[in-house]
Amino acid sequence: MPSKNEEVGLHDIDLVHNYEKCSEQLQEPESNNFAVLFDVDHAKCAVNLSTDALSNIVQGRSREDGNQPCLWLNLWGWDPKHEKMVRTLAGHYDVSPRLTHLLCPKANGRSNLKKQEPTSGDVESPDLKRMSDSSGTALKDIVQPKRSMPTGIADIADDLWHFCTVDFGRRYVCICWNALFFLTGDYDLPYVAKPHAIRVWSSLLLCDDGTVISTFESPTGLDRKTVAMIRHNQLNVFTHLSKIGAYRSHENALMQIAIRPFHSPESSTSSLESSGMAHLLFYYLFDDWVNIYYQAVGAENSYRNQLESLRQKMIDSAEVEQVTTLHRIGRELSVLRAVYRSYESIIERIVQKHRRSTAQTNIHYQSGYDLPRARSFQDGTPFNANGATKPDMQLGTSTIARFERLRDRISLCAVTEVDECLKEKDDLVVMNFNLVTLKESQAVEKLTRVTVLLAKVTILFLPMRHVGSRPFNHSQSQEAEQEYDRLRDLARQEAGKRSSCFDRAHQAYERGDGQKAHQLSEEGKQHGAAMEGYNKQASEFIFRENNAERRVASDTIDLHGQFVEEAEDILEERIKYAQSHSQTHLHVIVGKGNHSPHHIQKIKPRVEQVCQELGLQYHTEPNEGRIYVNLTGGPADSIPPPHHVGGQHQQQHGGRYPGQHQQPHGGQHQHQQNQNDEVEKLVKKFLPRVVRKLQRSCCVVM
């Protein structure tokens, strides 16, 4: 006649054929629960139990000698059958409704995963894949994902991966947390700004009669290999509950665990060792150290490898878009760090509870009072025989020691690794911006050097008095012209020195000599300041010479010899001054551009732009080198006669203004024309060759 255990499907897994059969069933993705009834001498297992079968196992646990074996009930997935099982057991151990819901929350449908099918035309990089979800979420949606109000524990666990809880009761200890499993394949994950991993809500309930209930979320749509990866810790614990599995196991040291004391000849008579097996089972179901280590260090595409790959890409070619990838890595690392902190928080709560209970026990013993003894599942003595309130259940000392070691491993290995990766990520962001800035600065410097070189080539073939617009609108002494040329030449020399310093700074930076690069960069800035100073002196000098008293009228300003930016600043100040002194108009001498390359006026367009920005009407005078500006805001159609200069009426004489000495015509004019013809011939002959060489250099720069 079959025994009661055989009627509910319990099989002795210390026998080879039963162990192999149950082990094979547990590896099937369709298996959703199993129960193991074990003590020092025996271990029996049943797979895919019904609610009635579980009830029969719970009721038939007691042995003839009065001792109860440990019961491990493991549930994968949250279906109505499992919910009924959990509620039945929760009521038996006085578990609150809130905690019951934590043990078996209602699924929210987000854990349905689908494996991506590879396509021949799919060349998208892994980084870009992970920056978008299965619906093609844009980057802005990753930065600010759309959220809805949580409706249950499943939603909270899905949004906050570091959500966890620890509860102590008179008859139980319960812990709940999110376990992460990094994927090697391509799956459509419903998460944004989270690690490329499957999140599994897990809970453990240790009861005072040696019952351990473990429930684990079971994502759907996974292949057999991925399911085995998620369940590997429960399968490893099951393997070591069987004598056959423990003897056959040849895994590394991290996979070796001991719950049933197989090697102690006196183990069957040791009640303390027998009662501690449930506590050890509770610990090892939480201690999935291999997976915790794999998340931080052992993953094939670990975060450290990703950061190293990005660093190499930045050295080869730094791009601003790489900061987006670094931002994604930083957010994932922050989530992973919070998950590790939740594991540490669970352990700290358990250890602190044990310390407080031990301290209270010592105080009572020292004061002479007998503290009621916590009932083990082998002790049937009522706890409150003397009217004392039963304290919360406690874990054994050996189990607490294991939790403390696990906390140290998580802190020293996992959390430290994540912190170092986060620091490296921040350093790479700074490095990226520095390299991008340096690259852009280098390109600008190359273009500047080409422009300066073109200007020098032009100056090589043309005398200074024939380059650009004439600096002086009136005849000046040779000393004045030399002073103006000297200041401008000094400014050009400082510009060349600045470019040279920046080039050498870049070369020093590429060699890794940061101190020398900084020194040269500061020296280049000093040359740049000196260049601006010389240009300012030249601008002020030429302005004083051209706008001296008796050379221009009070309603006239001469901008000859000014750079375009200098002319703009001077004009704006002159307009403000004139308007503040109630002047109605202003004549601006800008030059015709006769001496500019291709006879193009440089200053006139900027003067017109300034007038437009200030809302002033302007008009080009008959002499195209002059602009009339109406300072009242009215039209500029009627040009008033110019003011007198030196008692004479300022008029145009031969294309010149009063105050300029007329040069004699004839021989001197003919000599100047012949000189201009010779210069033009030289320029036409040599300049095209130089320009072709410079064009090749410009192509490299662009």
Side-chain angles (χ1 to χ4, degrees), residues 228-239:
M229 178 192 68
I230 295 176
R231 299 181 178 180
H232 82 95
N233 189 51
Q234 296 98 63
L235 296 178
N236 183 60
V237 172
F238 169 80
T239 297

Side-chain angles (χ1 to χ4, degrees), residues 76-266:
W76 287 315
W78 303 327
D79 57 26
K81 179 178 67 173
H82 290 171
E83 183 179 357
K84 184 177 180 181
M85 290 181 182
V86 171
R87 293 188 181 279
T88 300
L89 293 171
H92 180 68
Y93 296 107
D94 298 330
V95 178
S96 66
R98 181 193 69 86
L99 192 54
T100 303
H101 186 56
L102 285 172
L103 290 170
C104 193
K106 293 182 180 180
N108 58 7
R110 299 185 190 177
S111 59
N112 297 327
L113 306 179
K114 182 179 179 182
K115 191 173 180 65
Q116 295 179 353
E117 296 296 334
T119 58
S120 58
D122 186 9
V123 294
E124 189 178 16
S125 66
D127 288 341
L128 293 179
K129 287 182 180 179
R130 296 176 61 183
M131 288 166 58
S132 301
D133 61 10
S134 58
S135 302
T137 303
L139 181 60
K140 62 180 180 180
D141 297 322
I142 295 179
V143 176
Q144 296 180 342
K146 299 179 181 178
R147 292 184 178 271
S148 58
M149 288 296 294
T151 58
I153 296 298
D155 290 341
I156 296 176
D158 198 61
D159 293 334
L160 301 176
W161 284 17
H162 57 279
F163 176 68
C164 64
T165 179
V166 181
D167 292 272
F168 297 91
R170 291 181 299 172
R171 300 194 60 189
Y172 63 83
V173 177
C174 180
I175 58 177
C176 303
W177 76 99
N178 267 325
L180 301 187
F181 300 92
F182 277 69
L183 298 175
T184 55
D186 294 328
Y187 284 91
D188 291 333
L189 298 179
Y191 314 121
V192 293
K194 299 284 178 59
H196 190 66
I198 296 178
R199 178 204 56 78
V200 175
W201 179 250
S202 311
S203 58
L204 295 175
L205 181 69
L206 171 64
C207 305
D208 61 350
D209 62 352
T211 300
V212 178
I213 303 173
S214 58
T215 63
F216 300 94
E217 183 181 3
S218 182
T220 60
L222 302 178
D223 54 26
R224 184 186 181 96
K225 181 179 179 181
T226 306
V227 171
M229 178 192 68
I230 295 176
R231 299 181 178 180
H232 82 95
N233 189 51
Q234 296 98 63
L235 296 178
N236 183 60
V237 172
F238 169 80
T239 297
H240 287 83
L241 285 178
S242 167
K243 293 180 180 179
I244 304 301
Y247 291 146
R248 287 183 177 181
S249 177
H250 298 290
E251 300 288 345
N252 57 54
L254 291 176
M255 301 295 292
Q256 294 293 330
I257 63 176
I259 300 176
R260 293 176 62 196
F262 300 126
H263 306 292
S264 176
E266 300 179 355

Side-chain angles (χ1 to χ4, degrees), residues 93 108 177 233 244 311 335 400 451 469 534 583 643 650:
Y93 296 107
N108 58 7
W177 76 99
N233 189 51
I244 304 301
R311 190 183 71 85
V335 172
I400 293 296
T451 304
S469 58
Y534 286 128
Q583 293 185 12
H643 292 176
Q650 186 177 8

Side-chain angles (χ1 to χ4, degrees), residues 435-456:
L435 290 176
V436 170
T437 303
L438 186 61
K439 183 177 70 172
E440 293 178 352
S441 175
Q442 182 182 8
V444 171
E445 291 299 329
K446 287 183 178 179
L447 290 175
T448 303
R449 289 199 303 271
V450 170
T451 304
V452 172
L453 184 58
L454 281 171
K456 289 181 177 180

Side-chain angles (χ1 to χ4, degrees), residues 7 35 75 157 343 425 449 500 516 523 574 609 626 633:
E7 291 177 358
L75 306 177
Y343 299 161
K425 185 271 300 183
R449 289 199 303 271
S500 176
K516 184 66 174 178
E523 184 179 345
R574 182 65 175 84
Q609 179 182 341
R626 293 166 59 96

